[in-house]
Amino acid sequence: MNKTVNKQDFKPFISADKILPEFTGMSIFLGILLAVVFGAANAYLGLKVGMTISASIPAAVISMGLIRGILKKESILENNMVQTIGSAGESLAAGAIFTLPALYIWTEEWNMGAPNLLTITAIALCGGILGVLFMVPLRKALIVNEHGVLPYPEGTACAEVLLAGEEGGEKAKACFTGLGIGALYKFIADGLKLFPSEIETSIPGYKGAAIGGDVLPALLGVGFIIGPRISAYMLAGAVLGWFGFIPLIANIGSMGDVIMYPASIPINQLGHGDIWNYYIRYIGAGAVAFGGIFSLIKSLPLIVQTFKDAIKDYSSGVGGNKSVRTDRDMSMKIVLIGSLAVILAMMMLPAIPVGFGGALLIAIFGFFFATVSSRIVGLVGSSSNPVSGMTIATLIITAIIFKATGNDGHAGMIGTLTVGAIICIIAAMAGDTSQDLKTGFLVGATPFRQQYGELIGAVASALAIGLVLTLLNKAWGFGSNELPAPQATLMRLVIEGVMGGNLPWALVFTGIGIGVTIELLGLPVLPIAIGLYLPIHLSTPIMVGGVIRGILDKKLEKNDEEDKGVKAKIDSGILYASGLIAGEGLVGILLAIFAVAGLKVALNVNLGQIGALVFFALLTLSLVKFSVLKKD
């Protein structure tokens, strides 16, 4: 496929005059199933690690395995529809878990009971639907007119996977095997409790320093997917915290009964975990906030250009009445009426506590950041999309406006978070929709059918995400060691800081200073800041996965990046790693159900930290087998 071909000369894989099965009952059913499955798995992963994975390629591969391998049907457009609907679940879950857990934390703190399930579902629905609708008018400007300019890496990669459909059986096998092994491993570790899933040791002679790891499949898989460079940046941030700041604070505390806010007891009575909880995560929060907002500022020229293009395209008329199948968008009447209906619902429904002003802010910021997100993912991919920066900027502006208009206190904080949550989901959904529409553009899908597919995936995932969040909160609680919910905790700190002024600002500004230093060194702020913000136990197993990916990346560099054998090994490893993540996430949900129901399946046997290391080594070898040692 020639990526540099001019848009006028471009011919999709399935020509516009050819009609194939696409928006079928089977593709809708499989798509909804995968939207819920990957949405739940990504919710668990994001709450634990603070990042999610793209579900497009795993969904496409699973679809090919089922439709081609089992049903013996051949339709690339059906497979594309499955991944379109399925990936929507992952994106909506990402937007939801980055913000909404803060609501659960607050309501528990304020003795208000758990958030209403209807409220969570309504917030997710509004964000999901608007994210898709706001992107529809941008398709022609970004996907068609900018073809050959905006690469849309995930969308293009997914198209390549679909075009290599004859390999679907082998690829699906890697994904399903990873899912089974990840699920079994998680159940043995955290269900049967045969060995501890978190191991740790302090460093002798180095007061306050410690190293540890959560020996779990999802973290190993994440490391392989993001690669050695980002994994190393995350570990660097963790090392800065656990080998630098924590020992420094511990040694200062050992000089006497030093009490430093926000802790209320002397530092010399705190362990390294307590020091991280009271001090380091605020430093990390400052660094993450700086990284998110600065990445947004760097994108300003791109944002301005995108808006100019979008307005120009509006003035020339974007319609759904094109005669060519591959150029037909959803009717603009439906887009406008649907958007207006959702905005009016947000203004009037008590289940969505934003009021008239909040709904107006969502309409303005929502379309703005949908445009920004769609353009940015076209250039740098979804993983580098500064959604957290967009959300933080929204929260700060909204909190200032709400406070200035007297809408403060608990109600104002909840209203501010709701606005931020819907904006976060809109930005995540718009980015995903644009990647999927790029895939469809390359393979020859029908745009309006894909857009309806995105809406179906968003609605299905929104109906499920409230149940998933409520279940996980009941089982372990957000902000706990099992589910630290790092992004949502950061959003909560931002709102509390603006509304109440009760943040330890010295620590936050220390983090901002670190962020500035990292930026001046020419390094990426966000992965290092996230590593500083999260416990080191998450970064170490991620680094193990990153090292395995690094072995293959080095081979690819030596072979001038044209070695198809090495590329196939990387693809196989990514699919296996995606399976590991999905498997652990699903069993995590299952164990949450067991915890809520009071069902205990633990054995009275514990192999200890040595047993945990042995099992993790075997898991690592399985990833090596499906990647580095995979036969050509």
Side-chain angles (χ1 to χ4, degrees):
M1 185 185 301
N2 186 1
K3 273 71 167 189
T4 60
V5 68
N6 186 281
K7 64 179 185 291
Q8 281 85 7
D9 301 326
F10 176 77
K11 296 289 186 289
F13 182 72
I14 302 296
S15 61
D17 57 357
K18 193 173 181 181
I19 306 296
L20 288 180
E22 183 173 8
F23 198 64
T24 63
M26 178 57 67
S27 64
I28 293 169
F29 172 76
L30 283 177
I32 289 173
L33 184 65
L34 292 177
V36 173
V37 166
F38 278 107
N42 256 332
Y44 179 81
L45 178 69
L47 290 166
K48 193 171 185 68
V49 189
M51 62 176 65
T52 57
I53 60 153
S54 172
S56 295
I57 291 176
V61 167
I62 291 171
S63 168
M64 285 190 293
L66 294 173
I67 291 178
R68 288 175 179 268
I70 297 174
L71 301 176
K72 305 300 180 187
K73 293 172 66 181
E74 290 193 13
S75 173
I76 191 171
L77 300 188
E78 262 187 308
N79 289 322
N80 179 58
M81 183 58 65
V82 173
Q83 74 82 18
T84 296
I85 298 172
S87 64
E90 164 259 322
S91 299
L92 187 138
I97 58 98
F98 283 176
T99 48
L100 290 175
L103 195 55
Y104 288 84
I105 296 170
W106 276 338
T107 51
E108 186 177 340
E109 278 183 3
W110 302 336
N111 296 317
M112 292 170 62
N116 189 316
L117 188 61
L118 179 63
T119 296
I120 301 297
T121 304
I123 290 170
L125 267 174
C126 290
I129 292 170
L130 288 178
V132 177
L133 294 180
F134 284 168
M135 200 276 146
V136 169
L138 303 171
R139 187 192 71 87
K140 188 179 176 186
L142 298 179
I143 307 297
V144 181
N145 294 347
E146 295 290 324
H147 179 61
V149 179
L150 296 178
Y152 285 98
E154 286 94 345
T156 302
C158 192
E160 296 286 2
V161 169
L162 289 168
L163 293 174
E166 63 273 9
E167 300 172 33
E170 186 64 30
K171 290 184 175 182
K173 180 183 174 184
C175 198
F176 279 119
T177 304
L179 194 147
I181 289 175
L184 179 64
Y185 185 104
K186 175 71 173 177
F187 189 75
I188 292 171
D190 288 345
L192 301 180
K193 296 192 182 295
L194 190 61
F195 57 87
S197 58
E198 180 175 297
I199 58 176
E200 182 185 276
T201 182
S202 54
I203 310 298
Y206 192 11
K207 183 178 175 60
I211 190 167
D214 286 0
V215 286
L216 290 170
L219 301 176
L220 184 69
V222 166
F224 188 90
I225 290 171
I226 65 177
R229 188 178 296 274
I230 300 298
S231 298
Y233 288 143
M234 285 187 68
L235 185 60
V239 167
L240 182 63
W242 288 72
F243 286 74
F245 286 124
I246 293 177
L248 177 66
I249 293 170
N251 277 280
I252 290 171
S254 66
M255 297 175 185
D257 288 340
V258 180
I259 299 175
M260 186 167 74
Y261 180 79
S264 56
I265 57 175
I267 293 173
N268 57 23
Q269 295 178 28
L270 301 175
H272 51 255
D274 297 318
I275 293 174
W276 170 82
N277 183 50
Y278 283 118
Y279 306 119
I280 306 307
R281 68 191 187 102
Y282 287 99
I283 297 173
V288 171
F290 170 81
I293 292 174
F294 193 73
S295 64
L296 192 62
I297 292 169
K298 286 196 293 186
S299 302
L300 278 176
L302 189 61
I303 292 166
V304 172
Q305 186 59 46
T306 300
F307 252 80
K308 282 182 181 176
D309 293 344
I311 291 166
K312 195 184 297 179
D313 201 54
Y314 270 125
S315 61
S316 63
V318 180
N321 301 315
K322 305 285 185 183
S323 57
V324 180
R325 177 184 64 80
T326 53
D327 203 26
R328 288 178 60 199
D329 286 296
M330 184 187 292
S331 164
M332 279 303 293
K333 286 181 183 177
I334 293 175
V335 171
L336 292 171
I337 292 169
S339 301
L340 191 60
V342 173
I343 292 164
L344 289 173
M346 291 189 296
M347 288 180 181
M348 296 185 290
L349 290 178
I352 308 171
V354 296
F356 177 83
L360 204 59
L361 286 171
I362 290 168
I364 295 166
F365 281 118
F367 184 71
F368 179 73
F369 286 133
T371 309
V372 172
S373 180
S374 299
R375 180 83 180 214
I376 288 175
V377 300
L379 276 176
V380 297
S382 298
S383 57
S384 301
N385 190 11
V387 172
S388 59
M390 301 177 201
T391 310
I392 291 167
T394 301
L395 290 175
I396 291 171
I397 294 168
T398 306
I400 290 170
I401 292 171
F402 276 24
K403 190 174 182 180
T405 54
N407 190 9
D408 52 6
H410 292 175
M413 290 164 74
I414 290 172
T416 301
L417 181 72
T418 303
V419 171
I422 295 173
I423 295 297
C424 191
I425 295 169
I426 287 172
M429 283 298 302
D432 171 76
T433 302
S434 56
Q435 292 284 11
D436 291 339
L437 289 173
K438 180 66 172 183
T439 303
F441 176 76
L442 295 172
V443 301
T446 312
F448 79 89
R449 291 195 176 106
Q450 274 195 284
Q451 289 153 358
Y452 281 119
E454 292 280 358
L455 286 174
I456 290 170
V459 170
S461 186
L463 294 174
I465 197 69
L467 293 170
V468 171
L469 290 177
T470 301
L471 183 67
L472 292 172
N473 184 58
K474 278 186 181 177
W476 295 298
F478 298 132
S480 63
N481 287 334
E482 176 65 29
L483 296 173
Q487 301 277 11
T489 307
L490 172 61
M491 305 305 172
R492 169 196 169 206
L493 294 177
V494 168
I495 296 170
E496 288 178 351
V498 176
M499 288 285 195
N502 59 348
L503 276 182
W505 287 105
L507 297 173
V508 172
F509 277 107
T510 300
I512 293 171
I514 291 169
V516 173
T517 303
I518 294 168
E519 183 63 38
L520 290 173
L521 289 171
L523 299 172
V525 179
L526 275 175
I528 298 173
I530 289 170
L532 177 61
Y533 184 72
L534 293 170
I536 196 170
H537 307 75
L538 301 176
S539 299
T540 44
I542 287 174
M543 189 71 240
V544 174
V547 168
I548 297 170
R549 172 68 178 272
I551 294 168
L552 291 171
D553 286 351
K554 281 289 182 188
K555 284 186 180 180
L556 202 58
E557 284 176 22
K558 286 181 182 177
N559 298 339
D560 297 326
E561 302 193 359
E562 290 298 327
D563 191 325
K564 290 183 179 178
V566 177
K567 285 182 178 178
K569 290 179 179 183
I570 292 173
D571 289 344
S572 175
I574 288 173
L575 290 168
Y576 182 75
S578 298
L580 289 178
I581 293 166
E584 180 185 329
L586 294 177
V587 171
I589 302 293
L590 179 67
L591 293 178
I593 294 171
F594 286 178
V596 172
L599 183 62
K600 294 183 179 178
V601 293
L603 303 174
N604 293 322
V605 179
N606 193 317
L607 300 178
Q609 296 202 145
I610 299 297
L613 282 171
V614 169
F615 267 84
F616 190 68
L618 292 172
L619 181 71
T620 304
L621 283 174
S622 76
L623 177 58
V624 171
K625 180 181 181 297
F626 274 88
S627 56
V628 178
L629 301 180
K630 183 182 182 296
K631 292 179 181 178
D632 291 348

